[in-house]
Amino acid sequence: MTITLLVSPSAAGKTQFCIERARQLLAEQKLQPAWVLVPDRLQTAAVRRRLASSGGAIGIRVGTFGDLYQILLLRVGQSPPVSSEPMVYRLIESAVKDLLGKGELAYYGSVAHMPGFIHALRSRVAELKQARVFPEAFLEKAKKHGLALGEIAKVYAGYQARLQAAGWVDPEGLNWLAVEAIEGNLGLVGDVRLVVVDGFDSFNGAQLAAIRLLGEAVPEVMITLPGSPDMRRAAHRRFARSLADSQTTIPTAVVQDLSRQSALPEPLKHIEIGLFQSEAVPQAADGCVFFIEARTPVDEAREALRWIKARILRDGLRLDECALVTPDPERYRPYLREASAEFGMPLRFTHGDALASTPGIAALLDLLELHQQNWSRPLALEAVRSPYFDLGRFGLAPKDAEPLELVGLTGQVIEGLDQWQDTLARLARLEEPPPGEEGEHLQAPRLPVGAQAESLWRSLQALSRRLAPPEPQPTQAWVRWVEDLLEELCFFEQQETELDHASALGLRETFRALVLGERVAGETAVEYKGFLGELRSTLEGNYSPEPILLGQPAVLVLRVLEARGLRFRAVAVLGLSEGVFPEVEREDPFISEKVRAEFRLEPRLEREQAGLFYQAVTRADQFLLLTRPTLADDGERWEPSPYWNAATSLFMDPPVLIRPDDPRPLADGASSEEVLFSAVRRGSLTSSFGELLPRFEQLRHARDVLHARLAREAAGPFEGDLSAAQDTLVRAFGPEHVWSPSRLESYGTCPHLFFAAHALKLEPREPPQVGLDPLQLGKMLHAILEKAYCEAEDPGDPESVLTSVRQVARAEFAAAPQHYGFRPSALWDIEQAYFLDRLIETVRGSADLGDGWVPTALESSFGRDEIPPLELNIDGGPVLLRGVIDRVDTNQNGQLRVLDYKTGSSHLAPQDLVDGQRLQLPLYALAARDALELGEPIEGLYWAILAGRAGSLRLSRFNHEAEDVTYRGPAGAAQVALQHVGRILAGVRGGSFQPQPPRGGCPSYCPAAAWCWRFAPSMW
Ligand code: SF4
């Protein structure tokens, strides 16, 4: 019985040596099989391929230690069911809950309910089992290490007890049984002639125990390890511990140096030999080794994939001969996915997405939450819109989401079926509008009324009945309830993508785990909320199987550890910047380094990551690319990793720095989008890309639009210049058009705002909110003040008006939700008291402004209700104006003071009139005199109700100088306003609608704010 530790540097032919030995033995003794044990499925497939290409694999069994354990157990007649990941997760959760219930998790109690905690425990349990640390021994020894470790040990013991009670084993626990089996019967593997353990750079306790026993029973065992027998090089230090552990556990093992002449190209050989060696002399990279620095991880992912695509197209490599290695797959996954979709290059990640975040399952969790969330508007709309549910049996289809959204906006639906019912019932009482005109293709969705509203309510009601959870019941019954629901909604039939199918499989597995978990933990009735919490946390802690089928060629995306032992023709290693690779090492918060050393668990500190980097860069047979990002998330320079420096120092060729703005040859485009982008930048598309010509022309047009938008000064047809439509505009806004001051002000605030709001007639669509919106609040406060002054016995006496305000406000507040159509918030009572205080302040404050003013006209309209509009003469042409003056006061001399209430207090200064943003006051003063013929205005002011003070613009004090002309008093203010009106009319009729963010930023009510590229955050 010989056990040999074959040690040699990477790519020196260890695997090939073992394959040759196995084939030689098979040729000699055909009936005695050989086993090859590798770390994972990827390597299993890789070794099988190599065996096949070297002449056949009959008689040689390739698999993982897990496979070996199952074979051994089968041979002794044991075939325990192996628990799935969700089931393990569920059992650990059950153990934690049990301990929590008994008050035995004093240290971890506050975090024990978090999915991250269960996930962390799951990996610690796996480590302990792999190291053959038994629960009883751990429990005993943990006592001396304090409360926290003791609690981990209790969870471990509780979990193991549950697993055994169910009669299952977990994947790690198989090794215990297998080692026991072989210990008791070495003859179990008597037929095996050779065991090869290949592709590992470290072993756990269970693996070493199994190898030792195999060594006692099998004539020949060969274990390969990277490095050299002395393990002196910095790059090999990581493997020194593995070699030492192996020699300690298997003292009879003989170390054999297998340093063969490597067949790698010179630059790859150089990186293997020279990495971390100070005496290495830089060489030419010779088209074999590449270094790319890109701005961000997004650019880096694109560049790495572009490089791989070039190897496939230019060097004839196959997809499965290329790999990406990243130390941080979660960071790079979305970027790689996006670029691979654009480049048309399938990727296969070795790790799927968290089940709860996959689209179908996220939609399901939202649907199940609908009842819990009291039918919140966004969740209800998502459920109707979701492509994962067929709600036909309830009379709903995805197209109903749009009318329901309008219903929600109209009825201010926040949540609650009663709000949906209330709004739809009101709409059902309205008559159907006439059908749209023939041939009208772009009909906006209409607010559903009449029978349609009635039918929508019936559908929502039916769905709500189905989603209403029954009384508390056991988990098994809940699972059945959800499965029945999914059946009815044809959930599984609606899964279309590979990811959907993979996550649906994971969902079924999760259901099984929940049921089994309950069987072990004991059946108790749980409430819907509790079941939903369990389901969610199990889904959050488990991952979907990788969707791309193994048989389908794809570029592999590997974690660094997974790259060990595999070989590819082209390898790209990403993330070589500080803190990513090597990653910052932190002590494990659950099991300290001291305890790890005691139980021979992998350390978390001093992990010798240099050895991992050595493994990663020595995976390539032909081409190697190393990349790094240069800018951190905060925009600061990102320093290179020491590994990057070590690798680049070996070559004379400097790294290529990718700047997205640099021109790129069309032939380097990895997708049609990239080719078009480069072509538009250089201004031409070569004939070899003729099929892209139509898209090229579109993009050139888009480029012109973008240029215009990015210009410092807004100009041109893409920046609000509608001079080509002057005729239409003159017709729409000609002399007959009746203007309101606020409409003129909107142009004065920003011409493009006017264009969006009044020429295109767009309105911002705000989601419903609890309480009054600013418009409703303004209307309500105005109405109270108007009524209070009208109904006061003496409007000139503030005390009399105050009595009236209190009475009017009470009645108005009571009717306000119905009248203005809002849903009162929980603070409505407090808000009413606050508003009343502000109204009282308004009455008192406006009375204190000066003696002798008596309100004589309230809410005086002009330009409507048979009152003529104010007619202005601007540049020889008439301009008509309409409006409502909040209040006109009169003094003893019959002179007027115009007062306009505002809810807010911004933009009420003289400068706002000078800028053209506030024109109302001087125009109302003119209207009071000329349209309403109330007298001569000598004063005008804005009153900010909520601020309880007057604005600083007073017509009597207005004083503005411009171009040697002084504008004073009400007449001067009117002149300034009329100049603005003239400018605005010329602008509107001339089609000049350039966006100009106003001083102080863009107002939130601007309908263009959602897309306007000149948007400036507002202080309004
Ligand atoms: S977002 Fe600003 S700049 Fe753009 S249209 Fe509105 S107000 Fe004008």
mmCIF file of all heavy atoms in Angstrom, residues 688-703:
data_model
loop_
_atom_site.group_PDB
_atom_site.id
_atom_site.type_symbol
_atom_site.label_atom_id
_atom_site.label_comp_id
_atom_site.label_asym_id
_atom_site.label_seq_id
_atom_site.Cartn_x
_atom_site.Cartn_y
_atom_site.Cartn_z
ATOM 1 N N SER A 688 -18.197 47.304 -44.768
ATOM 2 C CA SER A 688 -18.322 45.947 -44.231
ATOM 3 C C SER A 688 -19.424 45.843 -43.176
ATOM 4 O O SER A 688 -19.836 44.756 -42.792
ATOM 5 C CB SER A 688 -16.983 45.487 -43.643
ATOM 6 O OG SER A 688 -16.523 46.447 -42.728
ATOM 7 N N PHE A 689 -19.875 46.989 -42.689
ATOM 8 C CA PHE A 689 -20.969 46.975 -41.701
ATOM 9 C C PHE A 689 -22.252 47.544 -42.320
ATOM 10 O O PHE A 689 -23.052 48.188 -41.643
ATOM 11 C CB PHE A 689 -20.592 47.792 -40.466
ATOM 12 C CG PHE A 689 -19.457 47.208 -39.671
ATOM 13 C CD1 PHE A 689 -18.186 47.754 -39.747
ATOM 14 C CD2 PHE A 689 -19.648 46.099 -38.866
ATOM 15 C CE1 PHE A 689 -17.137 47.220 -39.017
ATOM 16 C CE2 PHE A 689 -18.602 45.556 -38.133
ATOM 17 C CZ PHE A 689 -17.344 46.103 -38.211
ATOM 18 N N GLY A 690 -22.412 47.332 -43.627
ATOM 19 C CA GLY A 690 -23.544 47.923 -44.370
ATOM 20 C C GLY A 690 -24.895 47.646 -43.740
ATOM 21 O O GLY A 690 -25.796 48.490 -43.777
ATOM 22 N N GLU A 691 -25.058 46.473 -43.151
ATOM 23 C CA GLU A 691 -26.388 46.132 -42.598
ATOM 24 C C GLU A 691 -26.753 47.025 -41.406
ATOM 25 O O GLU A 691 -27.915 47.083 -40.995
ATOM 26 C CB GLU A 691 -26.452 44.643 -42.230
ATOM 27 C CG GLU A 691 -25.791 44.233 -40.933
ATOM 28 C CD GLU A 691 -24.277 44.065 -41.048
ATOM 29 O OE1 GLU A 691 -23.724 44.330 -42.143
ATOM 30 O OE2 GLU A 691 -23.645 43.693 -40.041
ATOM 31 N N LEU A 692 -25.760 47.719 -40.871
ATOM 32 C CA LEU A 692 -26.045 48.588 -39.714
ATOM 33 C C LEU A 692 -26.376 50.024 -40.136
ATOM 34 O O LEU A 692 -26.582 50.883 -39.275
ATOM 35 C CB LEU A 692 -24.835 48.616 -38.768
ATOM 36 C CG LEU A 692 -24.431 47.279 -38.132
ATOM 37 C CD1 LEU A 692 -23.197 47.467 -37.270
ATOM 38 C CD2 LEU A 692 -25.569 46.733 -37.286
ATOM 39 N N LEU A 693 -26.410 50.267 -41.458
ATOM 40 C CA LEU A 693 -26.575 51.646 -41.937
ATOM 41 C C LEU A 693 -27.845 52.344 -41.410
ATOM 42 O O LEU A 693 -27.769 53.480 -40.928
ATOM 43 C CB LEU A 693 -26.540 51.668 -43.472
ATOM 44 C CG LEU A 693 -26.169 53.011 -44.077
ATOM 45 C CD1 LEU A 693 -24.816 53.484 -43.567
ATOM 46 C CD2 LEU A 693 -26.177 52.935 -45.586
ATOM 47 N N PRO A 694 -29.023 51.692 -41.456
ATOM 48 C CA PRO A 694 -30.226 52.405 -40.940
ATOM 49 C C PRO A 694 -30.069 52.804 -39.477
ATOM 50 O O PRO A 694 -30.413 53.915 -39.095
ATOM 51 C CB PRO A 694 -31.352 51.378 -41.116
ATOM 52 C CG PRO A 694 -30.843 50.414 -42.138
ATOM 53 C CD PRO A 694 -29.365 50.379 -42.011
ATOM 54 N N ARG A 695 -29.521 51.912 -38.663
ATOM 55 C CA ARG A 695 -29.343 52.249 -37.234
ATOM 56 C C ARG A 695 -28.283 53.330 -37.073
ATOM 57 O O ARG A 695 -28.358 54.172 -36.185
ATOM 58 C CB ARG A 695 -28.938 50.996 -36.449
ATOM 59 C CG ARG A 695 -30.103 50.023 -36.284
ATOM 60 C CD ARG A 695 -29.639 48.730 -35.682
ATOM 61 N NE ARG A 695 -29.187 48.878 -34.301
ATOM 62 C CZ ARG A 695 -28.514 47.949 -33.632
ATOM 63 N NH1 ARG A 695 -28.224 46.808 -34.222
ATOM 64 N NH2 ARG A 695 -28.140 48.154 -32.397
ATOM 65 N N PHE A 696 -27.285 53.298 -37.963
ATOM 66 C CA PHE A 696 -26.234 54.314 -37.922
ATOM 67 C C PHE A 696 -26.849 55.705 -38.138
ATOM 68 O O PHE A 696 -26.543 56.662 -37.407
ATOM 69 C CB PHE A 696 -25.204 53.983 -39.006
ATOM 70 C CG PHE A 696 -24.131 55.024 -39.174
ATOM 71 C CD1 PHE A 696 -23.193 55.248 -38.181
ATOM 72 C CD2 PHE A 696 -24.057 55.783 -40.339
ATOM 73 C CE1 PHE A 696 -22.198 56.206 -38.337
ATOM 74 C CE2 PHE A 696 -23.069 56.741 -40.504
ATOM 75 C CZ PHE A 696 -22.146 56.960 -39.502
ATOM 76 N N GLU A 697 -27.757 55.807 -39.131
ATOM 77 C CA GLU A 697 -28.378 57.107 -39.412
ATOM 78 C C GLU A 697 -29.211 57.577 -38.216
ATOM 79 O O GLU A 697 -29.197 58.744 -37.845
ATOM 80 C CB GLU A 697 -29.271 57.029 -40.668
ATOM 81 C CG GLU A 697 -28.494 56.798 -41.969
ATOM 82 C CD GLU A 697 -27.431 57.869 -42.226
ATOM 83 O OE1 GLU A 697 -27.546 58.973 -41.682
ATOM 84 O OE2 GLU A 697 -26.465 57.581 -42.960
ATOM 85 N N GLN A 698 -29.929 56.643 -37.622
ATOM 86 C CA GLN A 698 -30.732 57.004 -36.434
ATOM 87 C C GLN A 698 -29.838 57.515 -35.317
ATOM 88 O O GLN A 698 -30.139 58.500 -34.648
ATOM 89 C CB GLN A 698 -31.477 55.773 -35.918
ATOM 90 C CG GLN A 698 -32.737 55.465 -36.671
ATOM 91 C CD GLN A 698 -33.314 54.128 -36.223
ATOM 92 O OE1 GLN A 698 -32.783 53.486 -35.322
ATOM 93 N NE2 GLN A 698 -34.369 53.715 -36.872
ATOM 94 N N LEU A 699 -28.723 56.832 -35.147
ATOM 95 C CA LEU A 699 -27.825 57.226 -34.055
ATOM 96 C C LEU A 699 -27.182 58.580 -34.304
ATOM 97 O O LEU A 699 -26.951 59.353 -33.380
ATOM 98 C CB LEU A 699 -26.734 56.174 -33.892
ATOM 99 C CG LEU A 699 -27.088 55.031 -32.959
ATOM 100 C CD1 LEU A 699 -25.976 54.020 -32.926
ATOM 101 C CD2 LEU A 699 -27.326 55.551 -31.541
ATOM 102 N N ARG A 700 -26.877 58.861 -35.580
ATOM 103 C CA ARG A 700 -26.303 60.188 -35.888
ATOM 104 C C ARG A 700 -27.301 61.281 -35.508
ATOM 105 O O ARG A 700 -26.946 62.319 -34.968
ATOM 106 C CB ARG A 700 -25.973 60.291 -37.379
ATOM 107 C CG ARG A 700 -24.575 59.768 -37.683
ATOM 108 C CD ARG A 700 -24.458 59.387 -39.122
ATOM 109 N NE ARG A 700 -24.465 60.525 -39.993
ATOM 110 C CZ ARG A 700 -23.365 61.072 -40.532
ATOM 111 N NH1 ARG A 700 -22.189 60.580 -40.231
ATOM 112 N NH2 ARG A 700 -23.449 62.076 -41.354
ATOM 113 N N HIS A 701 -28.558 60.973 -35.788
ATOM 114 C CA HIS A 701 -29.600 61.936 -35.424
ATOM 115 C C HIS A 701 -29.633 62.091 -33.899
ATOM 116 O O HIS A 701 -29.676 63.205 -33.375
ATOM 117 C CB HIS A 701 -30.934 61.433 -35.963
ATOM 118 C CG HIS A 701 -32.095 62.303 -35.596
ATOM 119 N ND1 HIS A 701 -32.261 63.561 -36.116
ATOM 120 C CD2 HIS A 701 -33.125 62.104 -34.751
ATOM 121 C CE1 HIS A 701 -33.348 64.093 -35.597
ATOM 122 N NE2 HIS A 701 -33.895 63.237 -34.771
ATOM 123 N N ALA A 702 -29.585 60.941 -33.212
ATOM 124 C CA ALA A 702 -29.611 60.983 -31.739
ATOM 125 C C ALA A 702 -28.404 61.750 -31.211
ATOM 126 O O ALA A 702 -28.503 62.491 -30.232
ATOM 127 C CB ALA A 702 -29.616 59.561 -31.186
ATOM 128 N N ARG A 703 -27.262 61.582 -31.877
ATOM 129 C CA ARG A 703 -26.066 62.307 -31.433
ATOM 130 C C ARG A 703 -26.292 63.819 -31.530
ATOM 131 O O ARG A 703 -25.944 64.585 -30.629
ATOM 132 C CB ARG A 703 -24.869 61.912 -32.306
ATOM 133 C CG ARG A 703 -23.598 62.623 -31.926
ATOM 134 C CD ARG A 703 -22.615 62.645 -33.056
ATOM 135 N NE ARG A 703 -23.206 63.197 -34.271
ATOM 136 C CZ ARG A 703 -22.582 63.258 -35.432
ATOM 137 N NH1 ARG A 703 -21.379 62.760 -35.543
ATOM 138 N NH2 ARG A 703 -23.176 63.779 -36.495
#
